[in-house]
Amino acid sequence: MTPAATSPTPGIGAAIATHRRASGLTQAELATRIGKSVQWISAVEQGRKHAERLTDLVSIATVLACTLDDLLGRPVDSLTSGARRVPQAEAIAAVRAVIMRAAVPASQVREVSELEAIGARVADAWSIWHGSPVAHSTLGRLLPSLLDDAIAAYHSAPERRRDAARPLAGAYQITRQWLHHVPDGDLAWVAADRAMSAAREADDPHLIALGAWALSASYRRAGQQDEATRLCLAAADELKVCMDTAGTEDGSNPDPRLLADFGMLHLAAAVSSAQSDDDNRAWALHRVADEAARAIGTSYDPWTAFGRGNVDIHGLALSAELGRADDVIEYSSRLTIDGVPSVERRAAALINTARGYVRRGEDEAAALVLLDAEKVSQEEVHDSTLVRELLRELLHRDRARARTHVLELARRCGLIGG
């Protein structure tokens, strides 16, 4: 195998180097301004080490006057010969076309499915998202027509706008979830914003809560962790008012669906707090979510997969976001994920476990865990920017170069040619 065949395509480190040079900063100047060593900056730019903390990337983007998406996206890859082709490029383009023309309704509104049927298709899409190991490609084929029909139905039923807004909000929400993972952060933000607008028009507490949950993910990706936390907690407070009046007369038996939403909003707020290095607040919010999951019992929400197992998976994510590798490994050793009815969540738990092993320099364990994650969902692994950064670091370590299974996984993820 030639050296070129095992040379990884440029990633986040290359993007940092490009924007640093464009800003006229040396590695030493950047290191000083973000509180890191020159050696750390050099290792990240060369791909020998991945920038494991989102807070570090936010600091770098702030200093370099670029967006977090400039570093997380593929601006460098797209300009490089032999760049990795985005697997869902055609589907993303189709979804973008639907979203962009939604603001101008067609002059001749075509007949579409009944609102109830569109709502059922939204529910089916969420089932595919959580249940299929090939959800990315499957939904890539289904979402353009689903979203198009939901939009057309909304414009076709002016007398039933509130009812029509419900499936429209759901269609935008599952589209946002898909776009966030493919990923296309900018388009995901548009979908999240429209999901919230439709949820407000529907005046549906469940959809409004999910709208805030969806928007918070876009805020986090944009490096606005504090705003993401504020959004989730404000939505949780609003939801609590509904919960107190939707159950029994004394408010002691809230709707389980709203209770799941309440818990999921706290989990999202916990993640953004961890990314802001607010350790105590992150775990306090996680405890609120855990109490909600215990109150619900063994069930899981069909859209967010909120439940006991997902709360545990988020606990692992908090340790990873806080950069505590030992805690990640210890937490993962007692984590049971087989009962969680979401391939995306189970894969996320394994990817975060691999983060811990890479941080500790236990390359073989990291590689094996990533292979386990691939068995759960190939697409969650192959489409993950984080996984490619982990593999890039493994490939730069001499002891990883001879491992065929690492090279083959890197090839399947489009990190190297072959």
Side-chain angles (χ1 to χ4, degrees), residues 276-296:
S276 298
D277 286 324
D278 196 339
D279 185 320
N280 292 334
R281 191 182 199 189
W283 288 111
L285 292 167
H286 184 267
R287 285 192 294 272
V288 175
D290 187 57
E291 291 172 2
R294 290 177 184 276
I296 291 171

Side-chain angles (χ1 to χ4, degrees), residues 380-392:
E380 280 298 316
V381 172
H382 296 173
D383 291 348
S384 170
T385 300
L386 173 58
V387 169
R388 286 193 291 277
E389 291 300 303
L390 294 174
L391 288 171
R392 183 174 283 107

Side-chain angles (χ1 to χ4, degrees), residues 5-339:
T6 59
S7 179
T9 57
I12 292 175
I16 291 172
T18 297
H19 286 282
R20 176 182 59 76
R21 295 187 189 105
S23 298
L25 294 178
T26 65
Q27 289 183 340
E29 290 169 331
L30 176 58
T32 297
R33 293 177 66 173
I34 67 169
K36 293 288 186 179
S37 67
V38 176
Q39 290 78 12
W40 187 88
I41 295 292
S42 177
V44 168
E45 289 189 352
Q46 294 176 30
R48 293 185 287 108
K49 183 179 183 64
H50 73 287
E52 61 184 345
R53 301 293 313 285
L54 189 62
T55 46
D56 292 333
L57 290 176
V58 171
S59 297
I60 291 170
T62 300
V63 171
L64 300 183
C66 64
T67 69
L68 194 57
D69 252 358
D70 288 333
L71 304 182
L72 292 175
R74 301 187 182 93
V76 176
D77 293 29
S78 63
L79 299 175
T80 305
S81 60
R84 177 180 183 272
R85 178 183 178 275
V86 180
Q88 309 300 334
E90 293 180 3
I92 293 172
V95 167
R96 179 179 288 105
V98 173
I99 290 176
M100 292 301 103
R101 67 172 176 260
V104 183
S107 56
Q108 292 184 336
V109 178
R110 56 188 174 78
E111 291 187 7
V112 296
S113 308
E114 292 294 328
L115 297 180
E116 293 76 10
I118 296 175
R121 288 166 62 191
V122 170
D124 288 343
W126 278 107
S127 295
I128 291 169
W129 175 257
H130 288 298
S132 173
V134 290
H136 292 198
S137 54
T138 302
L139 289 180
R141 294 189 294 271
L142 298 178
L143 286 178
S145 62
L146 171 60
L147 192 57
D148 202 26
D149 285 348
I151 293 168
Y154 173 80
H155 289 300
S156 299
E159 73 288 352
R160 296 183 63 193
R161 279 290 170 84
R162 181 173 173 177
D163 292 336
R166 290 192 179 94
L168 179 61
Y172 271 124
Q173 283 165 347
I174 182 59
T175 300
R176 195 285 314 173
Q177 184 81 349
W178 177 78
L179 287 167
H180 186 74
H181 285 252
V182 174
D184 190 310
D186 290 341
L187 197 57
W189 191 307
V190 175
D193 184 66
R194 293 193 182 176
M196 178 59 94
S197 295
R200 289 289 183 191
E201 185 168 4
D203 194 24
D204 186 315
H206 169 63
L207 292 174
I208 291 170
L210 293 186
W213 171 65
L215 270 173
S216 71
S218 291
Y219 278 122
R220 288 198 303 273
R221 183 178 173 90
Q224 299 182 35
Q225 274 61 39
D226 291 343
E227 183 63 20
T229 301
R230 186 206 64 78
L231 172 67
C232 287
L233 295 183
D237 287 343
E238 181 181 351
L239 188 62
K240 186 66 165 59
V241 175
C242 298
M243 292 166 57
D244 289 342
T245 58
T248 57
E249 290 185 1
D250 62 0
S252 61
N253 187 28
D255 183 340
R257 183 180 65 169
L258 298 184
L259 187 55
D261 298 338
F262 185 78
M264 200 64 208
L265 285 168
H266 279 81
L267 283 185
V271 171
S272 53
S273 294
Q275 291 175 345
S276 298
D277 286 324
D278 196 339
D279 185 320
N280 292 334
R281 191 182 199 189
W283 288 111
L285 292 167
H286 184 267
R287 285 192 294 272
V288 175
D290 187 57
E291 291 172 2
R294 290 177 184 276
I296 291 171
T298 59
S299 63
Y300 284 83
D301 183 84
W303 287 18
T304 66
F306 180 81
R308 290 289 301 279
N310 199 357
V311 171
D312 291 340
I313 288 173
H314 274 76
L316 179 68
L318 295 187
S319 294
E321 294 295 345
L322 290 165
R324 296 177 178 169
D326 291 342
D327 290 348
V328 168
I329 303 308
E330 192 278 330
Y331 201 112
S332 67
S333 69
R334 50 189 173 84
L335 186 65
T336 302
I337 64 174
D338 292 343

Side-chain angles (χ1 to χ4, degrees), residues 48 363 393-403:
R48 293 185 287 108
D363 292 3
E393 184 168 338
L394 294 181
L395 288 173
H396 274 87
R397 293 179 182 165
D398 289 339
R399 60 182 180 276
R401 289 187 183 279
R403 295 177 181 172

